[in-house]
Amino acid sequence: MSLACGDIKGYFAYNAMAFPVAVAFVLELFHSIFGKYARIIHIFSTVIIMGNFVYFLYRL
């Protein structure tokens, strides 16, 4: 709801990992355009997703 109201600060206060996960998702969608760097993109995305999972467990 915060994002719909334009409250970016409030949005990230509740969803701190939302933007990094969105970036990882988009990078994985278009990883083929990175050519020889696709493996690095996979590793980067995996680290973001694992970090998000750890953060999720911490907030439980």
Side-chain angles (χ1 to χ4, degrees), residues 50-60:
M50 289 189 324
N52 183 42
F53 183 69
V54 170
Y55 182 71
F56 169 75
L57 291 176
Y58 173 73
R59 289 196 57 174
L60 284 178

Side-chain angles (χ1 to χ4, degrees), residues 18-52:
F19 184 71
V21 169
V23 168
F25 177 74
V26 170
L27 287 174
E28 283 297 321
L29 280 179
F30 300 108
H31 74 275
S32 60
I33 65 172
F34 293 104
K36 66 180 183 176
Y37 300 110
R39 180 178 163 95
I40 294 171
I41 297 301
H42 286 303
I43 292 169
F44 179 72
S45 297
T46 302
V47 167
I48 289 175
I49 298 300
M50 289 189 324
N52 183 42

